[in-house]
Amino acid sequence: MRIGIYPGSFDPITLGHLDVIKRSSRLVDLLIIGVLNNSGKHPLFTAEERVEMIKEVTRNIENIQVESFRGLLAEFARIKKAAVIVRGLRAITDFEYELQMAQINHKIESEVDTIFFTTSVEYSYLSSSVVKEVAFHKGDISSFVPIELVERIEAKYE
Ligand code: ADP
């Protein structure tokens, strides 16, 4: 069984993330979406809320599992017996950091490799930070996130 892990903050999940989830889930038997529970990051949504939101919008994809994790990604991948880590690349600015992380993770856990999905062009500008910025200023986020999450995100800023 080929297991992949797609790790991230997903604070909140965007249509760009969902696009990567749909495309990468076709290449593995099981895709574990790993929600980073890093208390240092001061996220808008708790890890539990982020897991719940991702479960809601991926409920129609069969081979998905969503869970939160703390600590080293390479360690999480080893425990889950994952062969690949999935990451997304939007622009050259993502590249340097992603390359370093992929190399560190491979160094720590040689059984795991990172594969990259280039963003679909329509989502190349999209990040969780953009969504939060627009929602904070009461802008329309309906083309950035799954429609069923719009009200929930807006409510955080009321
Ligand atoms: P992190 O804090 O680990 O970067 P994010 O939740 O911001 O977590 O992103 C998780 C992964 O999804 C990263 O690899 C990021 O590059 C990728 N990603 C984010 N937005 C997009 C997008 N619009 N298109 C493709 N990949 C994306």
Side-chain angles (χ1 to χ4, degrees), residues 89 91-101 103:
L89 286 175
I92 195 76
T93 42
D94 284 337
F95 182 76
E96 208 169 329
Y97 173 75
E98 293 293 342
L99 178 67
Q100 189 182 28
M101 292 312 294
Q103 289 169 337

Side-chain angles (χ1 to χ4, degrees), residues 74-93:
E75 176 67 7
F76 183 59
R78 189 183 60 77
I79 293 167
K80 294 292 168 185
K81 299 187 168 42
V84 288
I85 291 169
V86 170
R87 294 286 288 176
L89 286 175
R90 281 159 294 188
I92 195 76
T93 42

Side-chain angles (χ1 to χ4, degrees), residues 36-81:
L36 186 63
N37 188 357
N38 182 347
S39 48
K41 263 202 165 183
H42 302 297
L44 178 64
F45 291 94
T46 66
E48 291 73 27
E49 290 174 315
R50 286 177 275 149
V51 166
E52 198 187 303
M53 289 190 286
I54 299 170
K55 280 185 177 164
E56 186 178 338
V57 301
T58 58
R59 65 192 178 282
N60 294 329
I61 312 172
E62 268 178 14
N63 59 335
I64 299 271
Q65 198 173 298
V66 191
E67 42 187 291
S68 66
F69 74 100
R70 288 173 190 273
L72 285 180
L73 171 60
E75 176 67 7
F76 183 59
R78 189 183 60 77
I79 293 167
K80 294 292 168 185
K81 299 187 168 42

Side-chain angles (χ1 to χ4, degrees), residues 6-11 14 16-17 20 36 41 86-90 94 97-98 117-120 123-128:
Y6 180 29
S9 308
F10 305 106
D11 185 39
T14 69
H17 293 132
V20 171
L36 186 63
K41 263 202 165 183
V86 170
R87 294 286 288 176
L89 286 175
R90 281 159 294 188
D94 284 337
Y97 173 75
E98 293 293 342
F117 281 77
T118 52
T119 179
S120 297
Y123 304 128
S124 62
Y125 62 90
L126 197 50
S127 66
S128 299

